[in-house]
C-alpha cells in the first residue's frame, strides 16, 4: 500500500501513532512528510523511551548520559527500520503496543552498548575509503574547526612520512588507520570498496598495508633517532 498525499497540509499531531510510522516508512518517496511525522512520533514517545532507557541502564550499571544515548539510538532505529506491525500485535491500544515495541528496541540497544560501548550503527553507504589526510580528518573529527586544525597539525608528520609512497599505498594505509580500532578489522563494506577501487585482491592489500606501515614507521624511527 502506498500513502496518497493530499494537497492540503497534513496535521501530523492528530494522526494515530501507527499512521505516523506509515508516513515514516515512505521517507524515500515523501521525505518532508516523513520527517514531520518522525518529529511528532519522537515527541509523543520521547518521555517514555527515555524513562525506560534510564531504568534499564541503571539496572546494568550505566549512567543517565548513556541512557540518553540509547534513547537516541532507539529513535534512530525507528527512522531506519520502522518495523512496527499493527496486525501482529495482540494489544488493541496502539500506543501501548508501540511502547512495548520501543521497549524491546531500547533493551536491544542497551545490550549492544554493553558489547561495543556504542549503540550507534553508521549507514554502510556512509562508510567510505580514505584517499587523503583531509578525508581522514573529516572522518575522525567531523566539521569541528578547532579539532580539525589540531588534528591536521598532528598529522603533518604522517604527511611527510608518506612521501615516496604510491597512491595505492597511501589510500590503503589511511583507510586502515581510519577504521582499525583496538585490533578490530575494518568494516567489510570498506574492505570491499578498497578492493574494487584499487583492483586488488585482499592478500595484495595486506602486502601494500605492510609496506606502507613499515615505510612510515622507519621514517618516524629515523626522526626519533636524530633527536
Amino acid at each position: 500500500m502506498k500513502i496518497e498525499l493530499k494537497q492540503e497540509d497534513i496535521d501530523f499531531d492528530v494522526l494515530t501513532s501507527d499512521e505516523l510510522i506509515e508516513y515514516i516508512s515512505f521517507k524515500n518517496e515523501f521525505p518532508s512528510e516523513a520527517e514531520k511525522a518522525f518529529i511528532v512520533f519522537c515527541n509523543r514517545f520521547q518521555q517514555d523511551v527515555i524513562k525506560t532507557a534510564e531504568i534499564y541502564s541503571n539496572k546494568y550499571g550505566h549512567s543517565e548520559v548513556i541512557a540518553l544515548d540509547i534513547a537516541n539510538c532507539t529513535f534512530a532505529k525507528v527512522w531506519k527500520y520502522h518495523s512496527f506491525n499493527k496486525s501482529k500485535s495482540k494489544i488493541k491500544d496502539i500506543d501501548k503496543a508501540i511502547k512495548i515495541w520501543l521497549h524491546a528496541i531500547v533493551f536491544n540497544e542497551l545490550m549492544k552498548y554493553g558489547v561495543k560501548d556504542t549503540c550507534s550503527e553508521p549507514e554502510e553507504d556512509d562508510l567510505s575509503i580514505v584517499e587523503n589526510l583531509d578525508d581522514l580528518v573529516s572522518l575522525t573529527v567531523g566539521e569541528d574547526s578547532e579539532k580539525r586544525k589540531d588534528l591536521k597539525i598532528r598529522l603533518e608528520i604522517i604527511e611527510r612520512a608518506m612521501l615516496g609512497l604510491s597512491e595505492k599505498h597511501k589510500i590503503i594505509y589511511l583507510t586502515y588507520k581510519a577504521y582499525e580500532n583496538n585490533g578490530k578489522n575494518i568494516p567489510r563494506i570498506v574492505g570491499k570498496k578498497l578492493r574494487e577501487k584499487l583492483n586488488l585482491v585482499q592478500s595484495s592489500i595486506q602486502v601494500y598495508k605492510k609496506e606502507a606501515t613499515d615505510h612510515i614507521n622507519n621514517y618516524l624511527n629515523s626522526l626519533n633517532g636524530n633527536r
Side-chain angles (χ1 to χ4, degrees):
M1 184 183 76
K2 186 171 181 177
I3 299 173
E4 296 295 334
L5 297 183
K6 297 179 180 180
Q7 293 299 316
E8 64 266 19
D9 290 338
I10 302 168
D11 187 354
F12 289 97
D13 287 316
V14 302
L15 295 181
T16 61
S17 299
D18 59 317
E19 288 176 326
L20 292 175
I21 292 176
E22 191 172 10
Y23 272 100
I24 294 169
S25 72
F26 286 92
K27 62 183 179 181
N28 292 328
E29 293 87 345
F30 310 113
S32 177
E33 288 76 11
E35 185 175 349
K36 292 175 183 177
F38 182 65
I39 291 172
V40 172
F41 182 89
C42 291
N43 288 338
R44 191 172 293 179
F45 293 99
Q46 183 179 46
Q47 186 175 354
D48 179 75
V49 167
I50 291 176
K51 180 180 179 180
T52 302
E54 288 176 345
I55 292 172
Y56 285 170
S57 295
N58 181 63
K59 181 178 180 180
Y60 286 90
H62 295 301
S63 68
E64 290 184 359
V65 174
I66 291 176
L68 183 58
D69 189 26
I70 290 169
N72 288 332
C73 289
T74 297
F75 285 116
K77 277 293 177 67
V78 173
W79 175 255
K80 184 176 181 180
Y81 295 114
H82 39 263
S83 58
F84 176 76
N85 190 333
K86 180 172 65 174
S87 64
K88 292 184 178 181
S89 176
K90 296 180 180 179
I91 302 175
K92 293 183 179 181
D93 186 311
I94 290 298
D95 280 7
K96 286 184 179 180
I98 288 176
K99 285 180 181 180
I100 292 174
W101 172 65
L102 288 170
H103 294 174
I105 298 175
V106 170
F107 184 78
N108 287 336
E109 293 302 300
L110 179 66
M111 293 300 99
K112 186 186 302 180
Y113 199 101
V115 175
K116 297 183 178 180
D117 289 332
T118 178
C119 59
S120 301
E121 289 183 355
E123 296 280 353
E124 285 194 342
D125 290 343
D126 291 339
L127 298 177
S128 58
I129 63 176
V130 181
E131 300 190 34
N132 51 57
L133 286 176
D134 283 338
D135 288 348
L136 179 60
V137 170
S138 295
L139 189 64
T140 305
V141 297
E143 299 302 319
D144 188 305
S145 58
E146 288 301 316
K147 289 183 179 179
R148 288 178 67 90
K149 182 178 179 181
D150 179 62
L151 184 56
K152 278 189 173 183
I153 292 173
R154 290 189 282 121
L155 288 175
E156 284 180 356
I157 189 171
I158 298 297
E159 186 173 26
R160 295 196 298 271
M162 288 193 301
L163 292 174
L165 288 176
S166 70
E167 284 303 306
K168 287 185 178 180
H169 281 96
K170 292 177 183 177
I171 290 172
I172 290 169
Y173 177 83
L174 291 173
T175 300
Y176 271 85
K177 189 172 184 64
Y179 290 106
E180 275 189 326
N181 183 29
N182 297 325
K184 295 180 181 178
N185 294 327
I186 64 174
R188 290 181 182 178
I189 188 67
V190 178
K192 183 174 183 288
K193 288 180 179 180
L194 265 180
R195 293 190 294 273
E196 291 176 348
K197 179 175 180 61
L198 303 179
N199 194 26
L200 294 171
V201 297
Q202 187 59 37
S203 58
S204 296
I205 287 178
Q206 293 300 326
V207 172
Y208 273 86
K209 178 195 173 191
K210 184 179 186 306
E211 290 175 349
T213 301
D214 289 346
H215 176 89
I216 291 171
N217 286 342
N218 288 337
Y219 178 87
L220 297 178
N221 289 336
S222 68
L223 287 181
N224 291 332
N226 292 330
R227 290 180 179 177

